C-alpha cells in the first residue's frame, strides 16, 4: 500500500480547511477532498453514496468551479448488501444540497448497481462511498474507472475500517495487481484513498 502522510499531502495540494462543522461520515477526511477540488478545479463530480449530502455541501460550498455534482444513492425502502448499512439509507437523499442547482440526484432501488457507464457523464472527481461490500466497491470502482476523465481523481472512503473489510480487501488486491496506484492518506478518520486516472 502506498501511503502519503497527511502533512506532506497538504504541502503538495491546496488547503483543505473548511468553515463550520465536519461532515458526520467524512470527518477530517473531507479536507483532502476539498484540497483536491481547490487544486484541480473539477467541473463534474460524482459521489456514490451521497447520503444526506453533508460531504457534498462542504465540497460545493468551497468549489464555485464545480458545474455539476451528481449524487447517487438508494431509494428509501431499498435493501443494502451489508445489513449494518441499512440504517444509513437517507430518508431524504441529498437534503443538505437540495437548493444547489448544480446537484443532480440519481436514486435507484439498487443504487449505483442499476447504472451503467452510459448513464453518467465523464467526471473529474469521483468519490466512492456507497455499498461497502467487496462486490459493491468492485462494481463502483469498475464503473468509476470507465467514466473518469484522464487526469481525474477517484477516491475511496473506509480503507482500513474493520467494519467494512471488503473495501480494504479490494484496494489491496488492486494495488498488488497494478503496482500500488491507489494511495492512502494517513492519518485520517476512516481511510481516504485516491488514485489519479
Ligand atoms: C457512509 S454513507 C455515505 C456518506 C456520505 N458519502 C457522506 O460523506 O456524507 C453510505 C451511503 O451509501 C448508500 N448506499 C448503499 N448502497 C448503495 C448503492 N448500491 N448505491 C449507491 N449508494 C448506496 C447508503 O444509502 C448511504 O447513503
Amino acid at each position: 500500500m502506498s501511503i502519503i502522510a497527511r502533512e506532506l499531502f497538504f504541502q503538495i495540494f491546496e488547503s483543505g480547511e473548511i468553515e463550520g462543522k465536519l461532515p458526520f461520515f467524512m470527518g477530517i477526511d473531507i479536507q483532502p477532498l476539498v484540497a483536491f477540488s481547490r487544486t484541480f478545479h473539477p467541473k463534474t463530480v460524482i459521489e456514490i453514496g451521497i447520503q444526506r449530502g453533508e460531504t457534498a455541501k462542504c465540497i460545493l460550498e468551497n468549489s464555485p468551479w464545480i458545474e455539476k455534482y451528481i449524487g447517487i444513492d438508494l431509494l428509501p425502502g431499498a435493501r443494502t448488501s451489508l445489513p449494518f448499512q441499512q440504517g444509513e439509507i437517507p430518508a431524504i437523499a441529498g437534503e443538505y444540497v437540495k437548493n444547489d442547482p448544480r446537484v443532480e440526484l440519481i436514486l435507484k432501488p439498487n443504487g449505483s448497481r442499476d447504472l451503467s457507464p452510459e448513464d453518467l457523464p465523464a467526471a473529474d472527481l469521483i468519490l466512492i462511498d456507497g455499498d461497502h461490500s467487496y462486490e459493491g466497491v468492485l462494481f463502483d470502482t469498475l464503473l468509476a474507472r470507465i467514466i473518469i476523465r484522464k487526469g481525474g481523481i477517484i477516491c475511496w472512503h473506509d480503507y482500513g475500517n474493520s467494519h467494512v473489510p471488503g473495501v480494504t480487501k479490494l484496494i489491496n488486491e488492486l494495488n498488488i495487481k497494478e503496482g500500488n496506484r491507489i494511495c492512502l492518506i494517513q492519518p485520517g478518520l476512516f481511510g481516504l484513498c485516491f488514485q489519479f486516472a
Side-chain angles (χ1 to χ4, degrees):
M1 185 70 187
S2 326
I3 296 174
I4 182 167
R6 194 177 169 85
E7 201 184 338
L8 175 61
F9 180 94
F10 287 111
Q11 284 169 23
I12 297 171
F13 300 107
E14 294 289 328
S15 160
E17 288 307 312
I18 55 160
E19 282 183 14
K21 74 177 176 69
L22 296 169
F24 177 76
F25 283 103
M26 203 54 66
I28 60 167
D29 298 335
I30 186 69
Q31 289 162 343
L33 293 171
V34 169
F36 277 143
S37 184
R38 287 193 178 126
T39 307
F40 296 106
H41 289 199
K43 285 189 166 52
T44 303
V45 178
I46 296 178
E47 181 178 355
I48 303 178
I50 189 172
Q51 224 264 343
R52 296 171 72 193
E54 271 194 283
T55 288
K57 183 169 187 280
C58 273
I59 295 175
L60 283 159
E61 279 180 354
N62 290 285
S63 309
W65 41 83
I66 292 178
E67 293 171 2
K68 188 171 258 310
Y69 194 106
I70 297 179
I72 301 166
D73 215 296
L74 297 166
L75 284 167
R79 191 164 279 278
T80 54
S81 306
L82 296 175
F84 91 90
Q85 280 204 270
Q86 197 64 37
E88 294 178 352
I89 302 176
I92 307 173
E95 64 175 305
Y96 283 93
V97 288
K98 66 175 189 304
N99 294 324
D100 192 316
R102 298 172 290 174
V103 175
E104 181 191 330
L105 295 176
I106 302 180
L107 308 178
K108 299 277 184 188
N110 301 298
S112 55
R113 296 221 204 185
D114 287 332
L115 300 176
S116 51
E118 301 75 48
D119 298 316
L120 296 166
D124 306 294
L125 176 63
I126 300 177
L127 171 60
I128 298 177
D129 194 23
D131 179 351
H132 286 51
S133 68
Y134 176 88
E135 294 74 17
V137 191
L138 175 61
F139 182 94
D140 290 342
T141 300
L142 297 176
L143 183 65
R145 284 181 166 187
I146 294 171
I147 58 174
I148 193 74
R149 282 210 177 97
K150 185 101 190 92
I153 309 166
I154 301 176
C155 295
W156 293 258
H157 201 216
D158 289 288
Y159 177 90
N161 180 347
S162 58
H163 296 290
V164 288
V167 180
T168 309
K169 181 172 185 280
L170 176 73
I171 290 176
N172 284 343
E173 283 175 7
L174 292 173
N175 268 344
I176 288 167
K177 204 164 114 200
E178 300 168 350
N180 279 330
R181 290 176 61 208
I182 303 176
C183 183
L184 171 69
I185 304 161
Q186 232 176 23
L189 175 68
F190 281 135
L192 187 77
C193 291
F194 66 93
Q195 174 188 354
F196 286 97

